[in-house]
Each structure stands twice: as structure tokens, then as C-alpha cells.
């Protein structure tokens, strides 16, 4: 069974530029999560999808971050414009239900200069 | 809101030593509790879980018991190996739409 795929693995941008991350969850998983992990901290949930509907986005900075999950499968997370404090690893995870084990992708390491 | 507090690291042990990593939580209702592990150069993966009070999760020699009365889920292993060196994250999933909250992680280094 293929795991959660993410791309790109690394990205370096200047502040005020925009960037997008892509995630392909495990086939058949209804729930998809995006996390932000700042160095030395635990993952912080940004948004949780159930199929293509948003379950929780209370910690998503909506003035600059957006996410979508078209057709309840792949998802993209966008930052526009980026700030220095957005430098972090962005993790995508999926689970078969909203209450079960999460399977994590390798993450995208974003550096904003 | 929900929160998870882990003991601060890093933790350095000798091989075959006993390991305890403390984890306490604050949440409404009866959350599910998890320990995830991140080995060097790899992604996060589930180590063990417990879904109700007094449940014990176990895997690879690690154990943790869901203690409702002390709101704790401490990770233990009787004899650590060098290969256990990793970052360990305690996490909960709330009964409110399954929202996830993670602790800040504890780095374990096991020396031969």
C-alpha cells in the first residue's frame, strides 16, 4: 500500500512570495490533515478535511493560508504572501476515519528568507 | 482548549536502561491518546494508542496506560536499545470532531 505522498520535499522562497504544497493521501482515506511543525515543536493542526468538506480550520491563518481538497482526494495548501515565521515543515496526514490512526507523509520543509 | 504537555528533553540513556517519558493532557470528554515516533530521517509514525480509560497500549516493548484520574499517558520501556533513539510525541484526539493536539516532542538518545 502506497503511503502519503507530498511534494515538493524542500522549498526556499523570499518573504512576500507565494508557495503551494501538494498532498496525495492513502487511497480510500476519508480524512486529510495539514500540520505545521516549527523546529523544536510538535505538529500544529492547520486544517482537517472529511472527504472534501472542512471539519476544523480554527488554527489556519486565513488571511494568508488557504487549502482545498478537490474531489475528496488530493489536497493543496497555499501560502500567499509568505512571512519569515512561516518557515517550518508542513506535514500532510490521512486516516480512514476522523478518530483513528493518522499516517503521515514525509513533509515539505519550507524556508522563507 | 485541548493541550498536551510532555517532559522536556533531551533524554540520554545507556542501552538496557529503563525509560519513562511523561505526558499529561487537558481535554474535555474522553479523548483518544497516542504516542507517535519519528526516527532520524523518517516521517512520524504511530507507536501505540489507547482509546478509553485504563486501556494499555503496547508495541515494540513500549507501553502506556490511559489514566483518566491523573490525565496522563506516560510512555515506558523496560530496556531501551540504540535503535530506539528518536523523537517521541504524545498526542490526543478529542471527541469534538477528532481534532488532534500534539505535545512538543521528547528527543531520546540511547548510547551503547
Amino acid at each position: 500500500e502506497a503511503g502519503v505522498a507530498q511534494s515538493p520535499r524542500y522549498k526556499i522562497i523570499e518573504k512576500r512570495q507565494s508557495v503551494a504544497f501538494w498532498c496525495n493521501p492513502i487511497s480510500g482515506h476519508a480524512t486529510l490533515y495539514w500540520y505545521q511543525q516549527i523546529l523544536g515543536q510538535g505538529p500544529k493542526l492547520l486544517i482537517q478535511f472529511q472527504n472534501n468538506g472542512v471539519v476544523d480550520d480554527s488554527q489556519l491563518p486565513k488571511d494568508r493560508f488557504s487549502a482545498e481538497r478537490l474531489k475528496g482526494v488530493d489536497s493543496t495548501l497555499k501560502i500567499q504572501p509568505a512571512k519569515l515565521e512561516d518557515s517550518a515543515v508542513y506535514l500532510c496526514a490521512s486516516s480512514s476515519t476522523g478518530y483513528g490512526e493518522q499516517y503521515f507523509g514525509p513533509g515539505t520543509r519550507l524556508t522563507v528568507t | 482548549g485541548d493541550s498536551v504537555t510532555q517532559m522536556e528533553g533531551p533524554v540520554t540513556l545507556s542501552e538496557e536502561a529503563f525509560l519513562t517519558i511523561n505526558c499529561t493532557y487537558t481535554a474535555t470528554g474522553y479523548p483518544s491518546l497516542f504516542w507517535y515516533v519519528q526516527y532520524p530521517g523518517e516521517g512520524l509514525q504511530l507507536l501505540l494508542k489507547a482509546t478509553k480509560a485504563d486501556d494499555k497500549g503496547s508495541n515494540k516493548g513500549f507501553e502506556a496506560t490511559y489514566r483518566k484520574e491523573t490525565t496522563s499517558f506516560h510512555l515506558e520501556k523496560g530496556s531501551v536499545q540504540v535503535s530506539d533513539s528518536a523523537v517521541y510525541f504524545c498526542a490526543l484526539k478529542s471527541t469534538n470532531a477528532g481534532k488532534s493536539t500534539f505535545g512538543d516532542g521528547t528527543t531520546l538518545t540511547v548510547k551503547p
Side-chain angles (χ1 to χ4, degrees):
Chain A
E1 176 180 80
V4 177
Q6 289 188 247
S7 68
R9 293 294 309 277
Y10 305 91
K11 189 74 177 179
I12 301 174
I13 62 172
E14 296 182 350
K15 60 184 179 184
R16 292 187 289 274
Q17 286 186 325
S18 62
V19 63
F21 312 126
W22 173 82
C23 173
N24 181 236
I26 291 173
S27 177
H29 279 193
T31 310
L32 185 146
Y33 314 78
W34 282 104
Y35 291 88
Q36 179 192 60
Q37 186 175 16
I38 293 173
L39 187 64
Q41 299 181 17
K44 182 181 83 171
L45 181 67
L46 293 176
I47 189 166
Q48 177 178 338
F49 292 95
Q50 182 71 21
N51 296 308
N52 59 350
V54 175
V55 173
D56 187 291
D57 63 357
S58 57
Q59 299 191 97
L60 186 73
K62 298 180 185 65
D63 57 334
R64 298 184 301 106
F65 286 64
S66 65
E68 61 181 6
R69 189 181 185 196
L70 298 176
K71 301 180 182 179
V73 183
D74 292 6
S75 178
T76 57
L77 176 69
K78 297 179 181 178
I79 308 174
Q80 182 178 11
K83 294 184 176 182
L84 296 176
E85 58 261 36
D86 298 332
S87 294
V89 175
Y90 290 85
L91 298 167
C92 180
S94 69
S95 62
S96 56
T97 72
Y99 296 90
E101 173 186 355
Q102 296 177 64
Y103 294 82
F104 284 83
T108 296
R109 183 177 298 277
L110 173 67
T111 302
V112 182
T113 63
Chain B
D2 297 344
S3 66
V4 175
T5 303
Q6 290 183 232
M7 66 183 286
E8 293 188 13
V11 175
T12 302
L13 296 174
S14 297
E15 208 165 21
E16 299 183 2
F18 184 85
L19 168 70
T20 300
I21 300 178
N22 290 337
C23 171
T24 57
Y25 67 90
T26 301
T28 55
Y30 297 88
S32 294
L33 301 176
F34 303 82
W35 277 100
Y36 285 84
V37 60
Q38 186 168 30
Y39 297 105
E42 299 184 17
L44 276 161
Q45 56 187 277
L46 180 69
L47 180 59
L48 54 83
K49 67 179 181 182
T51 59
K52 61 183 187 293
D54 300 324
D55 266 3
K56 178 184 283 188
S58 61
N59 186 26
K60 300 182 180 180
F62 290 89
E63 293 182 339
T65 301
Y66 189 142
R67 301 289 188 197
K68 182 69 176 174
E69 63 276 14
T70 54
T71 62
S72 64
F73 192 55
H74 305 321
L75 182 68
E76 296 183 336
K77 187 174 185 182
S79 176
V80 293
Q81 305 300 312
V82 172
S83 57
D84 294 326
S85 298
V87 183
Y88 293 82
F89 293 92
C90 185
L92 68 83
K93 261 192 166 285
S94 77
T95 52
N96 176 21
K99 181 177 176 179
S100 293
T101 303
F102 280 74
D104 283 339
T106 301
T107 300
L108 170 67
T109 301
V110 181
K111 297 190 173 182

